[in-house]
Amino acid sequence: MAIIIVGAGIAGLSLAVGLQRAGVPVTVVEEREHLDGGAGITLWPNALAALDDLGLGAQVRRTGRQVSAGTVATPRGRRIRELDEADLAAALGEPVIAIHRQTLMDLLVAHLRPGTIRWSAPVAGVHVAGGRTLVELADGTELAASAVVGADGIRSAIARTLNPGLAMAHSGFTAWRGVAAVELDGGGQVWGNGAEFGWVPLAQGQTYWFAARRAPEGQDLGPAAELARLHHDFGHWDGPAADLIAATAPDGLARHDLPDRPLAKRWHAGSVVLIGDAAHPMRPNLGQGGCQGVEDAAVLSRLLVGAADPTAACAEFTRLRRRRVVGVARQSWFLGTMIGLRPHAAASALFRASSWLPQRLLLGQIATVASADAYQKARR
Ligand SMILES: Cc1cc2nc3c(=O)[nH]c(=O)nc-3n(C[C@H](O)[C@H](O)[C@H](O)COP(=O)(O)OP(=O)(O)OC[C@H]3O[C@@H](n4cnc5c(N)ncnc54)[C@H](O)[C@@H]3O)c2cc1C
């Protein structure tokens, strides 16, 4: 019987690659008809080390682009922080990689045997009947599995099955992401009045950018008008925001009202287990949501391969991963809250205070989350 992974996102596909590579039968069940792009993603050395364990690290490093260190500044150009590329790489074990999301997802799919992913198959839930674990598709079909992995993202049906009443609310922030055909040397971020704008060069002369600011839910004007509004809000900021927004095609803009959902209380029940955003959604501010999903995939893959009892593997996964992820989610929340703090004078005071933090301490702090070493210590 196969292991069934619900959701073909970064976490689910990474796990599928790890399991299939070790000869474990696996099926991925995905509600979408196909992969549909996205903008860019930064993969920190903790995720690169996990990708090494999955046999994918070298290819991802080759395909992506090393991120040269960035600045953090205010909209008027006052430097809050400047991180040196060599110092950052030394603290983390190696440079950070930025890659187009579509490229990353294509690379993951290319490592799976044809037919591994069952597309257009929304899952309604999972239950145990007659000693068998059954995944229920929305069309009524039931699929028996030796273990079920809920990798179905922040709106996870599997997480809600394990945690009835799991609440979700608007965080108060909306995020936009795009990729522009603009070549830049380095990345950077600007933190402003309850808002931020960041950019990271990708391979092939492209730059990934993201913006976030306080906004009520459900105010989507459509891509062209959203780009015009972004240009109005961020175009006068220090840095390349104006050029990047102007060089982004409307059909390349992704806009999301960012939800807040707590970590799931129960990550596993029997041989059903949650990974990625389904288990531990987090604010995007540390750029760690996807990285932690890749760490989950590498750890769960190792535990499930050759496990006589998937239930014990799922319990051990929860024990190992919870203690690692809780702190990372908390730090993401803290950074997002600091940037969005009101009144803005309070945020400015915090930015100023953070600019006095000695670089050595800051790098040490980043390394506890994003270094290869942090992953390696936590996987044991
Ligand atoms: C603005 C922004 C910037 C970010 N930047 C970074 C970054 O630089 N680095 C980083 O590491 N992270 C980043 N993140 C976080 C990262 O995008 C997420 O943490 C990551 O994509 C989660 O991956 P996942 O596989 O767990 O879930 P998802 O990517 O959400 O995948 C879940 C999959 O499950 C499918 N699915 C859902 N429900 C069902 C169902 N019922 N049946 C079948 N299939 C289903 C979905 O269609 C989807 O394909 C960012 C997030 C945002 C919002």
Side-chain angles (χ1 to χ4, degrees):
M1 229 183 308
I3 291 177
I4 295 184
I5 299 171
V6 181
I10 293 169
L13 290 177
S14 301
L15 175 63
V17 171
L19 291 173
Q20 200 167 76
R21 193 164 157 262
V24 177
V26 60
T27 299
V28 182
V29 188
E30 166 58 48
E31 67 182 3
R32 288 179 294 167
E33 287 170 28
H34 50 76
L35 295 175
D36 53 9
I41 184 163
T42 46
L43 295 172
W44 293 79
N46 60 312
L48 296 171
L51 286 165
D52 284 337
D53 284 352
L54 294 165
L56 296 165
Q59 197 180 351
V60 169
R61 288 184 189 86
R62 264 199 318 277
T63 315
R65 175 170 165 173
Q66 288 186 8
V67 176
S68 48
T71 54
V72 181
T74 67
R76 290 186 173 179
R78 189 172 62 77
R79 293 282 182 266
I80 298 172
R81 172 70 59 190
E82 201 139 8
L83 278 181
D84 177 76
E85 187 178 354
D87 289 347
L88 186 65
L92 300 185
E94 64 173 306
V96 180
I97 293 288
I99 188 167
H100 201 296
R101 273 190 196 242
Q102 185 70 56
T103 307
L104 177 64
M105 301 306 274
D106 286 345
L107 185 152
L108 294 172
V109 171
H111 279 79
L112 294 172
R113 277 199 283 283
T116 303
I117 306 175
R118 186 163 169 166
W119 299 101
S120 306
V123 167
V126 60
H127 67 272
V128 176
R132 294 193 315 156
T133 306
L134 298 168
V135 172
E136 314 145 37
L137 302 188
D139 67 4
T141 310
E142 289 189 334
L143 307 172
S146 57
V148 176
V149 181
D152 47 343
I154 191 166
R155 296 188 163 74
S156 171
I158 309 299
R160 283 197 308 274
T161 306
L162 298 190
N163 301 270
L166 195 59
M168 198 153 78
H170 180 47
S171 66
F173 290 87
T174 297
W176 295 262
R177 284 175 279 183
V179 174
V182 171
E183 182 139 27
L184 295 175
D185 287 340
Q189 287 187 40
V190 182
W191 294 348
N193 191 355
E196 64 178 311
F197 190 93
W199 61 95
V200 190
L202 299 174
Q204 294 167 342
Q206 294 185 312
T207 297
Y208 157 55
W209 61 266
F210 56 90
R213 70 167 166 71
R214 285 192 176 279
E217 211 175 359
Q219 308 275 307
D220 193 346
L221 303 173
E226 287 288 316
L227 280 171
R229 190 163 70 173
L230 286 168
H231 203 277
H232 174 268
D233 291 350
F234 295 97
H236 58 288
W237 279 24
D238 184 61
D243 291 345
L244 291 171
I245 295 167
T248 301
D251 64 0
L253 182 73
R255 176 195 184 283
H256 295 283
D257 294 326
L258 296 178
D260 260 345
R261 202 211 77 186
L263 268 64
K265 278 209 168 71
R266 273 176 101 194
W267 284 24
H268 79 280
S271 59
V272 180
V273 65
L274 305 174
I275 64 169
D277 278 12
H280 47 69
M282 57 184 80
R283 295 267 180 98
N285 302 79
L286 284 183
Q288 275 289 329
C291 293
Q292 292 300 319
V294 175
E295 284 197 19
D296 288 348
V299 172
L300 186 58
S301 170
R302 175 172 58 81
L303 293 171
L304 282 172
V305 169
D309 174 12
T311 301
C314 296
E316 176 63 359
F317 169 82
T318 302
R319 189 187 70 78
L320 284 173
R321 293 299 298 155
R322 258 197 112 89
R323 65 181 187 198
R324 162 93 169 122
V325 168
V326 167
V328 178
R330 198 174 292 140
Q331 289 192 45
S332 279
W333 181 88
F334 178 78
L335 185 57
T337 302
M338 182 178 98
I339 295 170
L341 201 65
R342 282 190 291 206
H344 181 58
S348 290
L350 268 180
F351 297 166
R352 265 197 307 279
S354 77
S355 70
W356 296 326
L357 190 69
Q359 173 117 321
R360 191 177 43 81
L361 285 185
L362 180 68
L363 288 174
Q365 180 58 31
I366 298 173
T368 63
V369 170
S371 64
D373 201 38
Y375 160 68
Q376 275 145 4
K377 277 191 188 131
R379 84 182 152 175
R380 290 195 279 271

